[in-house]
């Protein structure tokens, strides 16, 4: 008899714990959202968002991510030298002089960038350093002395453009060296390094499987997996009209993809009332004025980054043809009249209430 | 007899008490919702405010439908063409994340707090 009542008690305990647990939706084992922000890498704000049951797991991953960020930031830096390492600054300094032994991570980036040069109809060229440097100087000067701001002369730009042949970047994979054949050449990886490094961080995170994480490198978004509730990540795309009350002009609902938006509103300076932004056409050597914003959704963050720049420099038709050849890759253009154009299958990524599936 | 099982009885009563307390706490901390979102086959098809009373028929294929009623900040299914009628038998919903489900018509009504779409992150803001 005594035994029997104990059995009933056990049953009750079991039943009640199930009841309590479901009524509170298992609050004790629920994934919580954590985030960490870095200000010191790639000249931008980088935020990692992740869902974990334990904070320790998040801290462990972000500690490793910070190490990677630090490393990639130093290796891909074109403006500063760091003690004890050869980075892209070193390579640029040795242009026309000698090959420089570099880390495999630099070789990987340059190989990828050369491939993207071909894939992008030659519209994303990391050898454009000399031209971009003139624009960079003009923009920096304009920030300090807005009254005396001016744009580079066409003569200077054309002179600089003589040293932008990407085939003169010599990669020696066996000896792990990089060599710029001509003096006056320089590499500028501004259109690809951030995206490429973001993808490397995504690769690190994916070692743990399809975990619900997002990397936001200054608006370069890379999402992993699905959120714990099983829904996709909703990524808002910045409205290029910054004065509008609606901050996002579009929402994409995605998993395991990268979203990169290049906008003329992001970095620019003003001369005589006209705005000059940071995306320079390899053809005209001037800022491309066809679009105010181009967004690329792609499985690889480096590709999304490079293509968002390249598409800025191409017509809609050329851009559409380019996108059509790439798997799972779609684009959205906003032209100077704020008209929106979509690539053929962009709608597959558009938010349609998929959150509640 | 009672004395013999005193400990067991105290134990059971204590468990019941704790469970009841937890249940009340969780019920009280549930957030009342602002909207219901209706999805069919995973696609969002409509969204209504919970503080506006209404009755809507949600059509499915070939004359099948569910009738959703919103009254006094609560939503429930009043009639449905599905054979099992499980959705009609469900309790009315009003708190965030509560759902009404009609599997035959592939329809889900879910209570949400804030107005969708919810954006996790922004692209292009540097």
């Amino acid at each position: 008899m005594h035994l029997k009542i104990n059995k009933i008690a056990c049953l009750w305990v079991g039943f009640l714990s199930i009841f309590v647990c479901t009524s509170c939706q298992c609050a004790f084992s629920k994934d919580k959202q954590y985030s960490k922000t870095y200000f010191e890498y790639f000249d931008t704000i980088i935020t990692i968002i992740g869902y974990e049951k334990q904070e320790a797991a998040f801290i462990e991953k972000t500690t490793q991510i910070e190490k990677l960020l630090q490393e990639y930031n130093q290796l891909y830096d074109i403006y500063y030298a760091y003690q004890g390492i050869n980075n892209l600054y070193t390579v640029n300094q040795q242009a026309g002089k000698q090959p420089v032994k570099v880390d495999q991570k630099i070789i990987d980036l340059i190989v990828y960038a050369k491939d993207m040069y071909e894939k992008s109809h030659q519209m994303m060229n990391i050898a454009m350093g000399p031209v971009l440097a003139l624009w960079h100087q003009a923009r920096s000067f304009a920030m300090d002395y807005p009254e005396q701001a001016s744009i580079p002369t066409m003569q200077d730009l054309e002179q600089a453009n003589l040293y932008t042949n990407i085939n003169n970047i010599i990669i020696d994979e066996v000896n792990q060296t990089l060599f710029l054949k001509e003096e006056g050449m320089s590499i500028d990886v501004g259109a690809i390094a951030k995206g490429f490094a973001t993808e490397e961080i995504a690769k690190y995170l994916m070692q743990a499987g399809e975990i619900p994480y997002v990397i936001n490198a200054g608006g370069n978004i890379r999402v992993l997996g699905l959120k714990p509730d099983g829904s996709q990540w909703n990524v808002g795309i910045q409205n290029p009209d910054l004065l509008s009350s609606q901050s996002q002009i579009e929402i994409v609902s995605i998993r395991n993809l990268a979203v990169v938006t290049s906008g003329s509103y992001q970095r620019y300076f003003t001369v005589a009332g006209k705005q000059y932004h940071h995306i320079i056409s390899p053809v005209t050597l001037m800022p491309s004025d066809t679009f105010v914003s181009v967004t690329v959704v792609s499985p690889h963050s480096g590709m999304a980054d490079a293509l968002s720049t390249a598409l800025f420099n191409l017509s809609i038709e050329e851009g559409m043809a380019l996108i059509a050849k790439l798997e799972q890759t779609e684009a959205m253009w906003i032209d100077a009249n704020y008209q929106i154009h979509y690539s053929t299958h962009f709608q597959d990524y558009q938010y349609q209430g998929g959150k509640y599936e | 007899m009672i004395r013999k099982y005193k400990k067991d009885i105290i134990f059971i009563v204590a468990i019941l008490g704790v469970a009841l307390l937890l249940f009340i706490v969780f019920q009280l901390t549930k957030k009342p919702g602002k909207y219901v979102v209706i999805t069919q086959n995973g696609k969002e098809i409509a969204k209504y405010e919970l503080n506006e009373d209404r009755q809507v028929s949600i059509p499915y294929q070939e004359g099948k439908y569910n009738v959703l009623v919103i009254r006094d900040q609560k939503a429930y299914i009043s009639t449905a063409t599905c054979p099992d009628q499980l959705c009609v038998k469900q309790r009315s919903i009003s708190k965030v994340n509560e759902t009404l489900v009609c599997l035959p018509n592939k329809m889900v009504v879910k209570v949400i707090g804030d107005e969708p779409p919810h954006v996790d992150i922004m692209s292009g803001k540097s």
Side-chain angles (χ1 to χ4, degrees):
Chain A
M1 191 62 192
H2 187 77
L3 198 74
K4 204 175 172 190
I5 240 177
N6 264 345
K7 266 187 185 166
I8 293 167
C10 281
L11 220 74
W12 267 102
V13 171
F15 170 70
L16 285 173
S17 46
I18 289 167
F19 175 69
V20 167
C21 202
T22 47
S23 72
C24 72
Q25 292 175 334
C26 277
F28 304 109
S29 64
K30 223 176 171 184
D31 290 277
K32 265 180 74 181
Q33 196 195 75
Y34 298 97
S35 78
K36 173 117 177 115
T37 300
Y38 308 96
F39 295 92
E40 40 299 79
Y41 310 111
F42 289 102
D43 197 20
T44 192
I45 300 168
I46 298 174
T47 303
I48 311 290
I49 297 172
Y51 287 91
E52 294 278 3
K53 288 185 176 62
Q54 311 270 326
E55 192 177 12
F58 182 77
I59 291 170
E60 189 194 314
K61 290 188 183 76
T62 45
T63 308
Q64 185 59 31
I65 287 170
E66 178 153 26
K67 274 189 203 149
L68 291 170
L69 281 173
Q70 203 164 5
E71 191 183 3
Y72 282 105
N73 180 55
Q74 292 190 352
L75 290 174
Y76 298 166
D77 200 326
I78 61 168
Y79 298 112
Y80 299 100
Y82 299 90
Q83 219 168 19
I85 65 160
N86 287 336
N87 63 3
L88 287 177
Y89 176 81
T90 328
V91 173
N92 286 343
Q93 289 298 303
Q94 297 302 320
K97 295 177 190 142
Q98 57 177 331
V100 178
K101 174 113 178 145
V102 291
D103 193 292
Q104 185 60 36
K105 293 183 173 76
I106 293 182
I107 304 274
D108 291 344
L109 171 70
I110 303 303
V111 168
Y112 191 79
K114 280 188 140 192
D115 181 44
M116 284 315 301
Y117 173 75
E118 297 304 334
K119 285 204 170 83
S120 71
H121 296 190
Q122 291 97 49
M123 284 300 154
M124 196 291 300
N125 180 5
I126 55 163
M128 277 219 345
V131 171
L132 297 178
L134 291 175
W135 282 102
H136 186 80
Q137 282 158 21
R139 197 167 63 239
S140 302
F141 183 80
M143 275 185 196
D144 297 335
Y145 310 98
E147 303 293 312
Q148 297 151 52
S150 68
I151 61 167
T153 66
M154 195 36 81
Q155 205 183 350
D156 287 349
L157 289 168
E158 279 171 354
Q159 178 64 30
N161 199 34
L162 296 174
Y163 303 96
T164 56
N165 185 350
I166 197 167
N167 296 318
N168 285 338
I169 300 177
I170 310 299
I171 304 169
D172 183 339
E173 297 215 46
V174 178
N175 295 312
Q176 247 189 52
T177 63
L178 212 51
F179 179 44
L180 307 185
K181 252 181 163 172
E182 290 179 295
E183 200 176 340
M185 283 181 72
S186 66
I187 290 176
D188 186 323
V189 288
I192 194 166
K194 207 165 58 170
F196 188 84
T198 300
E199 192 60 32
E200 293 302 310
I201 289 161
K203 277 186 198 162
Y204 156 72
L205 284 170
M206 281 188 288
Q207 289 171 6
E210 271 194 31
I211 50 175
Y213 269 74
V214 177
I215 307 154
N216 178 2
N220 276 28
I221 311 293
R222 178 68 165 87
V223 311
L224 299 180
L226 295 169
K227 285 184 285 177
D229 66 357
S231 64
Q232 308 203 82
W233 296 94
N234 294 327
V235 182
I237 292 163
Q238 174 69 43
N239 188 342
D241 179 4
L242 299 179
L243 300 174
S244 164
S245 61
Q246 207 189 351
S247 66
Q248 71 252 2
I249 200 154
E250 182 67 66
I251 299 167
V252 290
S253 193
I254 51 168
R255 65 188 284 185
N256 294 330
L257 288 168
V259 185
V260 178
T261 303
S262 285
S264 58
Y265 56 87
Q266 290 164 339
R267 270 178 205 181
Y268 61 86
F269 65 103
T270 311
V271 178
K274 186 169 163 37
Q275 285 185 1
Y276 295 89
H277 64 80
H278 68 298
I279 304 161
I280 307 301
S281 162
V283 178
T284 65
L285 310 182
M286 296 287 286
S288 313
D289 280 337
T290 325
F291 309 109
V292 291
S293 162
V294 175
T295 298
V296 175
V297 183
S298 176
H300 194 290
S301 172
M303 180 181 275
D305 197 5
L307 287 183
S308 70
T309 298
L311 293 185
F312 229 93
N313 299 323
L314 288 166
S315 70
I316 287 263
E317 294 74 25
E318 291 167 313
M320 290 264 188
L322 192 160
I323 290 293
K325 282 187 273 182
L326 301 168
E327 242 174 88
Q328 277 186 278
T329 302
E330 298 297 331
M332 179 184 93
W333 296 258
I334 304 172
D335 67 25
N337 300 319
Y338 286 82
Q339 287 290 322
I340 305 181
H341 309 263
Y342 299 104
S343 61
T344 323
H345 299 292
F346 189 86
Q347 61 189 43
D348 295 352
Y349 297 142
Q350 275 173 311
Y351 176 85
Q352 272 154 346
K355 187 177 184 306
Y356 305 102
E357 275 176 331
Chain B
M1 174 84 178
I2 287 176
R3 171 164 292 180
K4 198 175 168 190
Y5 303 123
K6 201 175 168 189
K7 276 184 184 166
D8 293 316
I9 290 162
I10 289 172
F11 182 65
I12 291 167
V13 169
I15 293 280
L16 271 172
V18 170
L20 189 70
L21 200 76
L22 281 173
F23 180 73
I24 291 166
V25 167
F26 289 127
Q27 284 302 311
L28 288 178
T29 52
K30 268 190 183 175
K31 275 189 283 179
K34 281 189 193 148
Y35 302 87
V36 287
V37 174
I38 304 164
T39 56
Q40 213 166 50
N41 244 331
K43 293 261 183 237
E44 183 178 324
I45 53 167
K47 187 192 81 186
Y48 299 111
E49 282 193 45
L50 264 178
N51 57 18
E52 280 175 20
D53 290 358
R54 72 172 73 232
Q55 181 169 341
V56 276
S57 178
I58 304 152
Y60 190 54
Q61 45 192 232
E62 297 151 22
K64 294 174 187 162
Y65 63 88
N66 299 73
V67 176
L68 174 77
V69 178
I70 300 174
R71 189 164 296 151
D72 303 328
Q73 306 271 351
K74 286 185 172 124
Y76 61 94
I77 304 292
S78 63
T79 16
T81 55
C82 50
D84 57 18
Q85 295 288 303
L86 286 174
C87 54
V88 180
K89 288 171 199 154
Q90 270 186 274
R91 275 178 38 185
S92 60
I93 56 169
S94 61
K95 305 279 169 61
V96 173
N97 284 333
E98 286 184 327
T99 53
L100 296 167
V101 181
C102 176
L103 282 180
N105 292 356
K106 298 205 164 75
M107 183 209 66
V108 178
V109 180
K110 182 175 180 179
V111 179
I112 56 162
D114 296 308
E115 185 172 1
H118 165 73
V119 168
D120 297 300
I121 205 148
M122 288 293 289
S123 167
K125 213 176 189 173
S126 67

